[in-house]
């Protein structure tokens, strides 16, 4: 049914297939007209003399009009293979076939009854010829053929029946069926052939389009050479890539065109030599990167080629495609450089340093020598970066890298690992003194002052080193061991060089175990607070306590604060631990007399934590302690890390009513700007100045006097730390400090013992025994 055009199945583009069918009708218009003309002449011969001539001429005129109308419809369908044919167009063509068939019914119905049986048989032969011709010449319209055969054959069948010729009637019926089946089968073959032709044409068009696009592209071209390796059928794009015209390159040796001066010298680049050899061996290649010389400029081409054979199977040269990939290669080289070099300093990055160390270790293993790996960490760089900004910090890193490069020899490679960490690979470290000399030179050179944007900056360097293969047989092991040595240098205050020692692993393992225990210390209730009294310098009455954190570990026993506090800060465990200290100190202070304050030390990590202010508010509200009785102690180092954030946090704490004490004043990054910009409640004088003043040290005495005078003028209080003897007490009183803290009045004690002090009359006896 679909072939006949009665239905259009859901699968497939049948609108386009109908177009392929009907577009061929116009090509058979002449043959169709000729067949009908011959048949009409046969009818004229049969009935001339027996049928009035006017009737015959009238019939021929109607037939001609029918054929003309059909030809007009067929011509309109000539482009149907390039568009979708409509249902109306199919119907018009079908009606044309029906009309043409009805014209042929006229002689069968009106002429045959008035003629002898022999003439009737001849007329049937003419009509049978027409039905057969239509089925053969017009396979594109099987429905029209069927209708034509049915109408004309049916008329002949009726005519034979009226004439009493039953045999001819049956013969007409059988002939009609055969013609109908033949028309359908012929139409099926015709449609299949047209579909195949269309697919081939479409494929050819797509290939042609792709070739045109390929040739018209900006970077690709087709090339072809004959068996003597000369260019043939030069494409315009290929000629353009060579900077010549197609005529200029036609017949020229392919290698000569792309070799430049190397053609005369014979000193081909390795990639060009490889191309020539592959062509010589008649070996196909794909995406071969070749360095060529075009107009005395070095370019990079990517070529693909396959050998071609003639009709007899003989080698007939090469054909292929090519493209200029110079920009892509330069971009790739740039990306590769960026992947291996630090963009800020221009030094090799971690990946390249790691590769260099691996090469040095292979060299040491091959020649039974030693190599070395030095890790460098800048001291006090973070303070510069945080205080003056990243722009100054980046410029400082660039200056550092310049200094490091200045002391490198061919035996060393220096790189930046990231941040303020650098590394040096010493390829041949057979002379161990060379490692020491390089490390000392690094420390000395990097410790010199820097001038950056009108700032004089002072930093330093800590160095850790490991010798391979003695301290590690793999790159990872050697780097890790150098890092352990660097950690030891940092622990000792920086500015020194330490080599790797096996004991460092044990220390690192101890730190790891200590960190593991520290993470569970609060859960296991291993933390406790001790309280050290602070007294009035005049009447020696208690005015406050400083809360001091202590840790009695189940696994490690009593751990010194000097050991676990830095670890807590490094791992940021200080934040939850600090929150617990605040809550516990406030809860305990509520039990003291209402005039006694509690001081809590706060680290920079806590102060810069976004949740710190809320933790202070929570500690005060949950305990019921008035904010005026809580004093937060900070050190000057917090202002170096992030002065704006630190100042904002402290101002919020002061707005709650809490006091702020500046601890260890004069020992760190001292700046009067901190004191001038923030209204501290107390300035605490470090124990080192107290000891120095008691010994009569002029500098210590001058510093304490200056601090006391400044505090008085700014309406701040002063506390002298570390007073242990009566002599120190008298000196501090004479210098004017208002409050005193130290073993002379009491060591740090538990909460119960601290509460008991308020029941005694002699505080000085708190530390007796």
């Amino acid at each position: 049914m679909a072939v006949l055009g009665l239905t259009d199945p859901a699968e497939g583009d049948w609108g386009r297939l109908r177009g392929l069918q009907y577009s061929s009708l116009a090509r058979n218009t002449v043959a169709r007209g000729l067949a009908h003309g011959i048949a009409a002449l046969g009818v004229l011969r049969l009935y001339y003399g027996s049928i009035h001539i006017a009737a015959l001429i009238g019939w021929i005129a109607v037939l001609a009009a029918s054929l003309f109308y059909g030809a007009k419809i067929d011509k309109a369908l000539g482009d149907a293979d390039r568009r979708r044919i409509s249902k109306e167009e199919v119907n018009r063509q079908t009606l044309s076939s029906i009309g043409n068939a009805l014209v042929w019914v006229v002689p069968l119905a009106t002429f045959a009854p008035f003629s002898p049986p022999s003439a009737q048989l001849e007329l049937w032969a003419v009509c049978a010829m027409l039905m057969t011709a239509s089925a053969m010449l017009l396979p594109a319209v099987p429905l029209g053929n069927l209708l034509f055969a049915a109408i004309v054959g049916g008329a002949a069948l009726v005519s034979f029946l009226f004439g009493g010729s039953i045999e001819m009637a049956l013969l007409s019926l059988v002939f009609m069926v055969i013609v109908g089946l033949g028309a359908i089968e012929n139409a099926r073959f015709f449609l299949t052939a047209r579909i195949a032709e269309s697919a081939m044409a479409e494929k050819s068009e797509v290939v042609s389009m792709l070739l045109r696009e390929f040739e018209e592209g900006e970077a690709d071209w087709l090339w072809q050479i004959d068996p003597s390796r000369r260019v043939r059928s030069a494409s315009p794009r290929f000629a353009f890539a060579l900077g010549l015209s197609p005529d200029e390159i036609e017949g020229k040796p392919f290698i000569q065109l792309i070799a430049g001066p190397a053609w005369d010298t014979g000193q081909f680049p390795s990639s060009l030599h490889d191309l020539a050899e592959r062509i010589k061996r008649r070996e196909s290649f794909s995406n071969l990167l070749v360095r060529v010389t075009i107009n005395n400029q070095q370019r990079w081409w990517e070529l693909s080629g396959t050998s071609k054979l003639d009709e007899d199977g003989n080698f007939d040269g090469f054909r292929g495609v090519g493209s200029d990939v110079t920009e892509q290669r330069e971009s790739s080289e740039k990306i590769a450089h960026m992947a291996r070099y630090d963009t800020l300093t221009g030094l090799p990055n971690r990946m390249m340093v790691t590769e260099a160390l691996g090469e040095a270790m292979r060299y040491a293993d091959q020649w039974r020598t030693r190599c070395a790996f030095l890790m460098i960490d800048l001291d006090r760089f973070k303070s510069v970066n945080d205080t003056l900004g990243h722009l100054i910090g980046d410029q400082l890193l660039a200056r550092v890298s310049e200094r490091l490069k200045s002391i490198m020899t061919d035996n060393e490679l220096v790189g930046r690992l990231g941040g303020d960490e650098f590394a040096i690979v010493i390829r041949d470290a057979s002379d161990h003194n060379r490692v020491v000399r390089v490390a000392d030179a690094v420390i000395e050179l990097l410790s010199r002052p820097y001038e950056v944007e009108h700032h004089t900056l002072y930093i330093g360097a800590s160095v850790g080193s490991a010798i391979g293969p003695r301290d590690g047989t793999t790159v990872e092991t050697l780097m890790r061991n150098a890092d352990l040595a660097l950690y030891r240098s940092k622990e000792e205050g920086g500015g020194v060089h330490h080599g790797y020692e096996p004991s460092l692993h044990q220390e690192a393992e101890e730190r790891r175990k200590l960190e593991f225990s520290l993470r569970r210390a609060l859960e296991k209730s291993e933390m406790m607070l001790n309280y050290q009294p602070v007294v009035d310098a005049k009447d020696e009455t208690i005015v406050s306590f400083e809360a001091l954190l202590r840790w009695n570990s189940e696994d490690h026993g009593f751990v010194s604060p000097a050991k676990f506090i830095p670890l807590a800060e490094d791992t940021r465990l200080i934040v939850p631990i600090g929150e617990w200290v605040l809550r516990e100190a406030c809860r305990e202070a509520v039990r003291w007399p209402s005039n006694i304050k509690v001081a809590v030390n706060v680290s920079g990590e806590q102060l810069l934590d976004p949740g710190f202010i809320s933790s202070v508010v929570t500690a005060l509200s949950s305990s019921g302690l008035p904010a005026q009785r809580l004093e937060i102690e900070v050190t000057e180092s917090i202002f170096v890390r992030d002065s704006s954030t630190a100042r904002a946090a402290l101002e919020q704490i002061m707005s709650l009513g809490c006091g702020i004490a500046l601890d260890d004043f004069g020992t760190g990054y001292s700046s009067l700007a901190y004191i001038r910009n923030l209204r501290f409640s107390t300035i605490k004088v470090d124990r080192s100045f107290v000891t120095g003043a008691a010994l009569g040290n002029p500098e210590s005495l001058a510093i304490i006097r200056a601090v006391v005078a400044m505090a008085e003028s700014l309406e701040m209080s002063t506390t002298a730390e570390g007073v242990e003897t009566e002599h120190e007490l008298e000196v501090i009183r004479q210098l004017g400090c208002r409050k005193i803290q130290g073993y002379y009045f009491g060591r740090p004690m538990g909460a119960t013992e601290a509460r008991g002090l308020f029941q005694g009359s002699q505080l000085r006896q708190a530390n007796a025994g």
Side-chain angles (χ1 to χ4, degrees):
M1 300 297 283
V3 173
L4 294 176
L6 297 176
T7 61
D8 287 343
E11 301 82 6
D13 189 359
W14 280 91
R16 178 172 171 273
L17 296 180
R18 294 279 174 258
L20 294 175
Q21 278 184 284
Y22 285 81
S23 63
S24 64
L25 291 174
R27 293 198 298 269
N28 295 320
T29 301
V30 175
R32 182 184 178 194
L34 185 61
H36 279 271
I38 293 173
L41 289 175
V43 173
L44 184 63
R45 185 189 65 79
L46 283 173
Y47 295 104
Y48 183 77
S50 59
I51 301 296
H52 196 280
I53 189 64
L56 290 174
I57 294 174
W59 174 76
I60 291 175
V62 172
L63 177 62
S66 170
L67 292 173
F68 177 77
Y69 178 73
K72 191 175 180 180
I73 292 175
D74 293 348
K75 184 178 180 180
L77 295 173
D79 63 344
D81 58 342
R82 298 188 298 274
R83 61 181 176 85
R84 290 177 178 272
I85 188 171
S86 65
K87 195 70 175 177
E88 290 75 13
E89 290 176 305
V90 173
N91 291 337
R92 280 200 301 270
Q93 206 287 327
T94 303
L95 290 174
S96 171
S97 298
I98 293 173
N100 188 250
L102 291 175
V103 173
W104 280 100
V105 170
V106 172
L108 290 170
T110 60
F111 299 169
F114 304 103
S115 61
S118 60
Q120 191 175 7
L121 288 175
E122 289 185 38
L123 179 61
W124 160 244
V126 169
C127 292
M129 181 271 293
L130 275 179
M131 288 188 288
T132 304
S134 294
M136 294 179 63
L137 295 175
L138 302 174
V141 282
L143 180 61
N145 289 334
L146 287 179
L147 290 173
F148 184 86
I151 294 171
V152 174
L157 177 69
V158 172
S159 176
F160 283 131
L161 288 175
F162 274 106
S165 180
I166 303 299
E167 295 84 356
M168 286 303 299
L170 289 174
L171 184 62
S172 298
L173 178 63
V174 171
F175 186 78
M176 279 195 309
V177 172
I178 293 173
V179 168
L181 293 175
I184 294 174
E185 193 64 24
N186 194 25
R188 181 178 291 110
F189 282 126
F190 174 80
L191 182 59
T192 303
R194 290 293 292 165
I195 291 174
E197 289 177 13
S198 176
M200 289 297 295
E202 183 177 357
K203 183 182 294 185
S204 177
E205 183 179 350
V206 169
V207 171
S208 298
M209 181 185 67
L210 290 175
L211 286 174
R212 284 197 304 272
E213 290 182 354
F214 187 84
E215 273 294 294
E216 293 170 1
E218 289 297 322
D220 302 295
W221 61 82
L222 299 172
W223 61 274
Q224 183 172 308
I225 59 175
D226 60 19
S228 60
R229 305 166 206 164
R230 295 178 180 271
V231 174
R232 298 300 177 195
S233 304
S235 67
R237 285 302 308 159
F238 180 38
F240 180 79
L242 289 167
L244 300 170
S245 67
D247 293 337
E248 289 176 305
I249 66 174
E250 185 71 24
K252 293 286 184 64
F254 179 49
I255 300 299
Q256 180 183 357
L257 290 170
I258 62 178
W263 177 259
D264 298 321
T265 63
Q267 297 177 347
F268 293 163
S270 59
S271 58
L272 189 58
H273 186 271
D274 183 29
L275 171 65
E277 286 297 314
R278 288 172 183 262
I279 293 176
K280 182 179 179 181
R281 295 194 301 265
R282 303 177 181 180
E283 178 183 319
S284 298
F285 50 90
S286 177
N287 301 324
L288 185 65
L289 198 62
V290 181
R291 195 180 80 182
V292 301
T293 302
I294 308 297
N295 294 328
N296 294 319
Q297 290 186 344
Q298 297 291 328
R299 308 289 295 179
W300 286 95
W301 284 6
E302 189 174 76
L303 298 174
S304 296
T306 56
S307 58
K308 58 192 182 77
L309 305 177
D310 60 16
E311 296 176 354
D312 299 326
N314 299 317
F315 175 71
D316 196 32
F318 268 85
R319 69 158 57 96
V321 296
S323 60
D324 190 318
V325 294
T326 305
E327 285 73 20
Q328 296 94 309
R329 180 175 174 84
E330 290 175 351
S331 177
S332 299
E333 289 177 348
K334 185 176 181 181
I335 292 172
H337 183 274
M338 292 174 62
R340 297 167 65 83
Y341 287 86
D342 178 57
T343 54
L344 175 62
T345 63
L347 294 177
N349 61 11
R350 178 181 288 272
M351 183 178 76
M352 190 170 178
V353 168
T354 303
E355 291 175 355
L357 180 58
E359 178 61 30
M361 295 191 73
R362 284 190 291 272
Y363 177 85
D365 181 63
Q366 179 181 359
W367 300 104
R368 298 295 186 267
T369 61
R370 291 182 175 183
C371 62
F373 185 70
L374 283 69
M375 289 191 71
I376 306 165
D377 187 83
L378 302 183
D379 302 330
R380 300 181 297 279
F381 171 78
K382 186 169 179 57
S383 64
V384 173
N385 209 35
D386 292 340
T387 305
L388 301 178
H390 294 291
L391 182 61
I392 299 296
D394 288 348
Q395 293 185 53
L396 179 57
L397 287 174
R399 301 286 179 82
V400 168
S401 67
E402 291 172 2
R403 293 189 182 184
L404 287 172
K405 284 190 289 187
S406 69
I407 60 173
M408 293 297 104
T409 68
D410 293 340
N411 190 39
E412 293 100 28
L413 178 139
V414 61
R416 182 185 178 209
L417 301 181
D420 61 346
E421 283 193 343
F422 295 82
I424 295 175
V425 176
I426 301 180
R427 182 180 179 86
D428 186 353
S430 302
D431 179 9
H432 180 69
N433 291 329
R434 176 60 185 164
V435 177
V436 176
R437 287 196 300 271
V438 170
D440 291 344
V442 167
I443 295 171
E444 191 277 328
L445 190 61
L446 299 189
S447 298
R448 296 177 186 175
Y450 299 81
E451 294 293 332
V452 180
E453 295 287 339
H454 309 296
H455 297 281
T456 302
L457 306 176
Y458 293 88
I459 60 172
S462 300
V463 181
S465 65
I467 307 296
R470 184 195 68 187
D471 298 333
T473 56
T474 66
V475 170
E476 294 76 14
T477 304
L478 205 63
M479 293 180 73
R480 183 174 66 248
N481 290 344
D483 193 34
L484 290 174
L486 175 62
Y487 189 87
R488 166 63 68 85
S489 298
K490 299 294 285 187
E491 273 189 332
E492 294 186 4
V496 295
H497 163 234
H498 261 287
Y500 169 76
E501 300 172 1
S503 61
L504 295 178
H505 267 296
Q506 183 179 350
E507 295 175 7
E509 181 63 18
E510 289 178 358
R511 279 197 306 273
R512 187 192 65 79
K513 292 179 179 179
L514 194 66
E515 178 186 342
F516 181 77
S517 299
L518 186 60
R519 291 184 180 278
R520 300 182 301 166
L522 288 179
E523 299 175 13
K524 299 170 70 173
S525 300
E526 295 176 352
M527 293 292 184
M528 67 187 74
L529 290 182
N530 280 356
Y531 301 90
Q532 186 173 27
V534 179
V535 302
D536 188 288
K538 293 182 179 179
D539 57 17
E540 299 182 2
T541 58
I542 298 176
V543 294
S544 66
F545 280 94
E546 179 180 1
L548 300 170
L549 183 62
R550 298 292 183 262
W551 180 25
N552 189 9
S553 170
E554 177 183 315
D555 301 319
H556 307 278
F558 179 79
V559 184
S560 168
K563 195 170 185 179
F564 76 80
I565 293 294
L567 180 60
E569 291 178 339
D570 289 344
T571 57
R572 286 192 55 80
L573 290 172
I574 195 66
V575 174
I577 292 174
E579 291 177 359
W580 177 85
V581 171
L582 272 170
R583 293 194 303 270
E584 186 67 17
C586 291
R587 186 183 63 81
E588 180 61 28
V590 171
R591 303 180 182 182
W592 304 337
S594 59
N595 63 321
I596 306 300
K597 297 182 177 182
V598 63
V600 176
N601 290 282
V602 171
S603 74
E605 290 293 334
Q606 291 176 264
L607 195 64
L608 300 179
D609 184 73
F612 176 66
I613 303 301
S614 62
S615 68
V616 174
V617 173
T618 300
L620 291 172
S621 59
S622 62
S623 64
L625 183 73
Q628 293 76 13
R629 293 182 59 193
L630 175 63
E631 190 171 57
I632 300 295
E633 287 194 11
V634 297
T635 61
E636 295 168 299
S637 61
I638 64 168
F639 298 102
V640 176
R641 284 196 57 183
D642 192 337
S643 58
S644 58
T645 304
R647 179 179 176 180
L650 292 177
E651 286 176 346
Q652 291 185 62
I653 292 172
M654 287 189 289
S655 67
L656 297 175
C658 301
I660 304 293
L662 184 59
D663 198 7
D664 298 335
F665 180 74
T667 62
Y669 306 93
S670 301
S671 173
L672 296 178
Y674 305 143
I675 300 175
R676 184 171 63 250
N677 294 332
L678 282 169
R679 303 294 298 179
F680 290 100
S681 58
T682 302
I683 297 177
K684 301 186 75 172
V685 179
D686 188 68
R687 164 175 164 70
S688 61
F689 298 120
V690 172
T691 303
L695 296 174
N697 183 280
E699 292 181 359
S700 297
L701 291 168
I703 288 174
I704 294 177
R705 289 192 184 101
V707 171
V708 170
M710 178 181 62
E712 293 289 341
S713 64
L714 296 174
E715 298 180 352
M716 301 177 185
S717 178
T718 52
T719 298
E721 295 183 294
V723 176
E724 298 184 357
T725 66
E726 188 169 356
H727 175 62
E728 290 176 347
L729 173 62
E730 292 303 321
V731 171
I732 291 303
R733 278 176 173 168
Q734 292 173 9
L735 291 173
C737 286
R738 294 186 183 181
K739 295 181 289 185
I740 299 173
Q741 178 181 355
Y743 285 0
Y744 184 75
F745 290 103
R747 294 176 177 273
M749 60 193 74
T752 303
E753 188 177 352
R755 289 197 299 270
L757 294 180
F758 301 116
Q759 302 170 3
S761 57
Q762 297 293 327
L763 176 62
R764 192 175 299 180
Q765 301 301 317
N767 196 37

